[in-house]
Amino acid sequence: MEKILYRSTNKKSPIVDFKQAVLKGQAPDYGLYMPLEIPSFKKDEILLLKNKEYYQIAFAVLSKFIGTEIPSKKLLEIVRNAYNFEIPLKKIDENLYILYLDKGPTYSFKDFAARFMAEIMEYYAKKENINLTILVATSGDTGGAIANAFYEKENIKVAILFPKDEITEIQRKQMTTLGKNIIPIGLKGKFDSCQNLVKIAFNDGDLKNLNLTSANSINISRLLPQSVYYFYAYVQLNYEKINFSVPSGNFGNLMGGVIAKKMGLPIKKFIVAVNENDEFPNFLKTGEYKPIIPSKKCSSNAMNVGHPSNLARLIDLYGGWIFDERDSLGKVKKYGILKVKPDMEKLRNDFVSFSITDEEVEETIKKYYEKYRIILDPHGAVGVSAYEKSNIKEPVISLETAHPGKFPEVIKKILGFEPEIPEKLKNLILKDEKYIVLENDYKEFKNFLMELK
Ligand SMILES: *Cc1c(COP(=O)(O)O)cnc(C)c1O
């Protein structure tokens, strides 16, 4: 098998191998790594995945991106450790299916990526005998998933930045009750500010000896495992082609699907379901890209993103080029400059996109409870509501990205009762938490990082 190589979407960084792409996280030119060539699956190869366990499908898909860089036996062990929970696919009505990605240890789909990434990072940290500092910005669920996945991993420290006032108590406590190698930081700012500080830190030479690595969805090792469940879902059913509705914020989940489609999985359309941060549906409509800064605050809080990072990858795959203009220190001067327009016709052929208001989320949660006795979480409800708006009369798999038990206040307000809260989450509420609070200021953040032991 030949070596798989990765390039930056900003075109100004050297080509790297998988290990370098993973350990760097972001390319030095602030671009995002993409495989130089997307590997492919033939039709009969896909059919061979039928009746396979999830981890076996993960192995088949991911080994195409890793090549010989990690021994097969080790990779198989990694995916086996990472994917030890159930992934139900339920038929809701004639055309609608829901894929439940909310059964991992922190009850959001972020577990799929975080658990794989943690295994990979520990593998490299030990193999190279280095200490890594993982830096991550979270809009809600990433932080918990990363904290849980990396807890007590050897040779690794994890600093997590979250917008102090925009996440729920449960989301916060998933990060702040662990201690040891997990360091949570509440920022007086929004998710986009957290993300910005993290991005600057990566390119700050003074922080070199911390071996900073990103655990955000910009890291390729977080992105690739999100292609796997699209394959898994497809082979559970017997349709020639399938559509997916994807509740989207930073577009990592969506990009996983887009890569699966590029690999040859017969996906007809993606329904890109966003909350009131509607920059993408507007872009599809007008061809003009206008990021929403600051992002709007909605009940699907993990999707409050006004300028999705992974849009750079999406636009890149469709022949365009988008980046943020920066000053010499790496600070963003202007977000989302569309230097080369992607093939809009092709984009409009492969994607439809809808913005769902919080009110529509409430109506959808109510309706699906009354009609089918299922409780959607606010993010999954954005997906289902967008499916309804799309009017697609063909099989659609909508992704349920979080457990409703993570949002008891929201659900109680809508349905009048609290959803069942998983035992592990209930115990969390009782635990003591510890985190520091920082201003939205790079200097302060940098000083804090430099003092980390
Ligand atoms: C992160 C998250 C999303 C959005 O996923 P992206 O990959 O950022 O588009 C949706 N739902 C939940 C519950 C999440 O945690």
Side-chain angles (χ1 to χ4, degrees), residues 124-143:
Y124 281 132
K126 279 178 161 172
K127 184 164 171 268
E128 310 281 312
N129 196 23
I130 46 176
N131 289 305
L132 296 176
T133 307
I134 309 286
L135 257 195
V136 58
T138 180
S139 57
D141 289 324
T142 298

Side-chain angles (χ1 to χ4, degrees), residues 108-110 141 226 247-253 302-303 377 379 401-402:
S108 94
F109 90 100
K110 299 288 197 302
D141 289 324
Q226 293 176 171
S248 293
N250 231 346
F251 284 26
N253 197 356
M303 288 160 42
D377 96 292
H379 306 77
T401 52

Side-chain angles (χ1 to χ4, degrees), residues 67-130:
T68 50
E69 259 187 76
I70 298 176
S72 294
K73 219 175 125 200
K74 182 69 199 176
L75 185 60
L76 196 61
E77 187 190 312
I78 285 176
V79 290
R80 229 184 171 140
N81 288 342
Y83 304 116
N84 55 2
F85 48 89
E86 54 165 344
I87 304 149
L89 176 65
K90 287 192 191 146
K91 190 171 169 103
I92 308 299
D93 65 15
E94 197 189 332
N95 283 323
L96 178 66
Y97 293 81
I98 293 183
L99 182 68
Y100 286 88
L101 303 175
D102 64 339
K103 310 285 183 237
T106 69
Y107 306 97
S108 94
F109 90 100
K110 299 288 197 302
D111 286 324
F112 284 82
R115 291 176 66 75
F116 177 72
M117 183 186 206
E119 295 280 339
I120 291 279
M121 293 282 185
E122 189 182 43
Y123 170 75
Y124 281 132
K126 279 178 161 172
K127 184 164 171 268
E128 310 281 312
N129 196 23
I130 46 176

